[in-house]
């Protein structure tokens, strides 16, 4: 089973993501960007779902840090800010795609399968 790191500081958003992921994937949670960077450094993940607005270290900073040592790991941005400028900032930081919150279950699984080669 593929393993996904969900970097999400908001409990209700994380609960929604677990509902979407639980049938198809193993997952773990990082509560901020710094924790996400640390977990990716210690564990093997097939993908990271990265909230952009988080405490301690935001998702853009965390994405850049993760990509320095793990250039091949796919990172998908998750954010409530669905402006084109936000999408471009996420792509520039190293994200391969962008999902807007609240995330649609069907769209989320479709995007994950696309990048996980399923």
């Amino acid at each position: 089973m593929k393993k996904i790191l969900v970097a999400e500081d908001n409990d209700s958003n994380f609960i929604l993501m677990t509902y979407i992921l639980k049938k198809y994937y193993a997952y773990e949670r990082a509560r901020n960007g710094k924790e996400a960077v640390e977990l990716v450094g210690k564990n093997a993940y097939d993908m990271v779902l990265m909230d952009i607005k988080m405490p301690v270290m935001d998702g853009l900073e965390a994405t850049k840090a993760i990509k320095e040592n793990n250039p091949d790991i796919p990172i998908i941005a998750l954010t409530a800010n669905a402006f084109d400028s936000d999408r471009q900032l996420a792509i520039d930081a190293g994200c391969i795609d962008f999902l807007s919150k609240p995330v649609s279950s069907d769209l989320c699984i479709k995007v994950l399968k696309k990048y996980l080669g399923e």
Side-chain angles (χ1 to χ4, degrees), residues 2 25 46-47 74 109-118:
K2 303 274 187 183
Y25 304 103
D46 296 291
M47 176 178 280
I109 296 301
K110 181 179 175 184
V111 169
L112 296 182
K113 286 183 176 196
K114 173 181 173 183
Y115 293 108
L116 291 171
E118 301 176 284

Side-chain angles (χ1 to χ4, degrees), residues 5 34-45 47-48 50 66-67 69-70 73 75:
L5 178 64
K34 183 175 183 284
E35 192 176 324
V37 173
E38 290 168 357
L39 286 170
V40 170
K42 293 183 209 171
N43 303 298
Y45 297 101
M47 176 178 280
V48 178
M50 183 72 73
I66 288 169
K67 285 295 197 170
N69 296 314
N70 303 275
I73 191 167
I75 301 176

Side-chain angles (χ1 to χ4, degrees), residues 1-100:
M1 184 176 276
K2 303 274 187 183
K3 189 172 178 183
I4 297 175
L5 178 64
V6 181
E8 175 60 69
D9 63 312
N10 181 288
D11 289 339
S12 58
N13 288 336
F14 178 70
I15 290 167
L16 172 63
M17 291 311 301
T18 65
Y19 173 78
I20 293 169
L21 297 174
K22 68 183 176 184
K23 281 194 257 180
Y24 308 99
Y25 304 103
Y27 56 86
E28 288 184 5
R29 180 183 189 182
R31 293 180 179 272
N32 60 59
K34 183 175 183 284
E35 192 176 324
V37 173
E38 290 168 357
L39 286 170
V40 170
K42 293 183 209 171
N43 303 298
Y45 297 101
D46 296 291
M47 176 178 280
V48 178
L49 296 176
M50 183 72 73
D51 182 22
I52 298 303
K53 305 283 187 219
M54 288 186 292
V56 184
M57 177 188 286
D58 72 27
L60 297 176
E61 251 185 283
T63 296
K64 289 175 190 171
I66 288 169
K67 285 295 197 170
E68 282 180 19
N69 296 314
N70 303 275
D72 297 330
I73 191 167
I75 301 176
I76 296 177
L78 295 174
T79 186
N81 298 330
F83 300 109
D84 286 340
S85 58
D86 296 310
R87 180 182 301 265
Q88 192 57 53
L89 287 171
I91 300 300
D92 291 347
C95 294
I96 57 169
D97 212 329
F98 186 97
L99 290 169
S100 298

